[in-house]
Amino acid sequence: MKKFSIAIDGPAGAGKSTIAKIIAQRLKIEYIDTGAMYRAITLKAIRNGIDIGNIDKIVELLDKTDINFTNGRVYLDGEDVSDEIRLPEIGNLVSQVAAIKEVREKLVTLQRDIAKNKSVIMDGRDIGTNVLKDADIKIFLVASVEERAKRRYKELLEKGIDVSYDDIVKEIEKRDYIDSTREVNPLRKAEDAIIVNNTDKTLNEVIDEILSIVYKKLRCNV
Ligand code: CDP
């Protein structure tokens, strides 16, 4: 089969990464979690005591940073930070870092590079509208705020991270606001994206729904 790409965009906690990971396994293609890249640079800025409002310092830091994916894990300068980047402290600041134009330019270049020679499924906020504008399949995954907060809350509790449900709702709403109102490549449904609603559905139902969209599209295009 010829090389193809799938873009999944949507608001915070809609289930993109869980779903994209499973679809990647089923289709034997690579999964690229672009949110993890923004989270990794945010983590590094916090560790280095850099104020998130200090754009020059963050851009300078990014120039000295290596982010890559191996076997589904995220490495920051060679260290596996896959779990640490999911902490609520990172969630609270990542959207501010992701709104910096220079940070986006650099990470988008890296994302396109990874996708250049292989079939991929990539999730984020601006994949269908910017990073992979020519993606073969574009999905816009949505779910109610309550459903998204409930899922994120459960996920963090299972990892032993103590959080309050109300704080999670606040974090998600704040992130949605910043992500969809920022100047550079805001969260937006691409015109040719198909909306999939992940409220009140099982994981398998949503996976099947997306896979049937993928098969239908690829059959027409290949
Ligand atoms: O998993 P969740 O939906 O909570 O978020 P994520 O995909 O890990 O992304 C974390 C944050 O990174 C988002 O809230 C955005 O601020 C930013 N992001 C972005 O701006 N562009 C992307 N392509 C991916 C993430």
Side-chain angles (χ1 to χ4, degrees):
M1 190 186 272
K2 84 173 194 1
K3 169 172 128 40
F4 63 94
S5 53
I6 306 171
I8 303 194
D9 290 300
K16 298 178 300 290
S17 61
T18 308
I19 288 164
K21 225 178 270 172
I22 297 172
I23 291 185
Q25 281 165 1
R26 296 263 190 100
L27 299 175
K28 299 190 172 56
I29 59 176
E30 185 156 344
Y31 165 50
I32 302 158
D33 178 353
T34 63
M37 299 165 101
Y38 292 97
R39 284 175 181 272
I41 183 65
T42 305
L43 171 65
K44 186 162 172 179
I46 294 172
R47 280 183 179 176
N48 282 271
I50 294 174
D51 174 14
I52 297 300
N54 192 336
I55 297 180
D56 290 345
K57 273 263 174 329
I58 292 181
V59 174
E60 195 187 310
L61 188 74
L62 189 57
D63 283 334
K64 294 180 281 183
T65 301
D66 175 58
I67 300 170
N68 74 67
F69 296 95
T70 312
N71 299 326
R73 310 288 296 175
V74 191
Y75 290 83
L76 171 66
D77 299 323
E79 176 194 348
D80 184 349
V81 292
S82 313
D83 294 324
E84 203 172 340
I85 57 168
R86 301 285 151 210
L87 292 173
E89 297 91 282
I90 309 294
N92 272 322
L93 295 173
V94 60
S95 287
Q96 281 160 262
V97 174
I100 303 170
K101 185 170 128 262
E102 293 85 350
V103 169
R104 303 203 68 81
E105 277 167 5
K106 182 128 197 234
L107 292 186
V108 167
T109 305
L110 212 66
Q111 291 154 11
R112 288 191 180 132
D113 244 31
I114 304 175
K116 206 158 56 191
N117 299 315
K118 50 189 163 219
S119 292
V120 295
I121 178 164
M122 198 183 272
D123 80 342
R125 302 293 186 284
D126 59 338
I127 312 304
T129 53
N130 175 43
V131 183
L132 302 178
K133 247 194 230 134
D134 298 326
D136 301 271
I137 297 113
K138 296 183 186 178
I139 304 289
F140 197 74
L141 191 68
V142 296
S144 69
V145 172
E146 292 73 26
E147 177 105 10
R148 292 188 277 136
K150 248 193 287 169
R151 231 182 267 136
R152 188 50 51 100
Y153 179 64
K154 202 170 145 242
E155 201 177 283
L156 290 169
L157 283 193
E158 277 165 7
K159 282 189 183 158
I161 300 167
D162 190 24
V163 282
S164 98
Y165 173 78
D166 289 345
D167 284 349
I168 299 279
V169 171
K170 273 188 224 138
E171 185 221 299
I172 283 184
E173 284 177 337
K174 179 177 155 207
R175 231 154 20 100
D176 282 355
Y177 178 76
I178 301 178
D179 291 348
S180 49
T181 55
R182 71 174 172 229
E183 251 171 61
V184 197
N185 299 123
L187 166 67
R188 211 162 30 79
K189 175 190 162 300
E191 262 173 38
D192 49 350
I194 297 170
I195 295 178
V196 172
N197 196 324
N198 192 12
T199 313
D200 298 327
K201 282 182 195 154
T202 66
L203 182 60
N204 278 334
E205 281 170 341
V206 179
I207 301 269
D208 286 348
E209 190 175 333
I210 296 177
L211 280 176
S212 75
I213 295 169
V214 171
Y215 291 138
K216 209 161 120 198
K217 281 260 182 176
L218 290 182
R219 231 170 276 139
C220 304
N221 290 342
V222 178

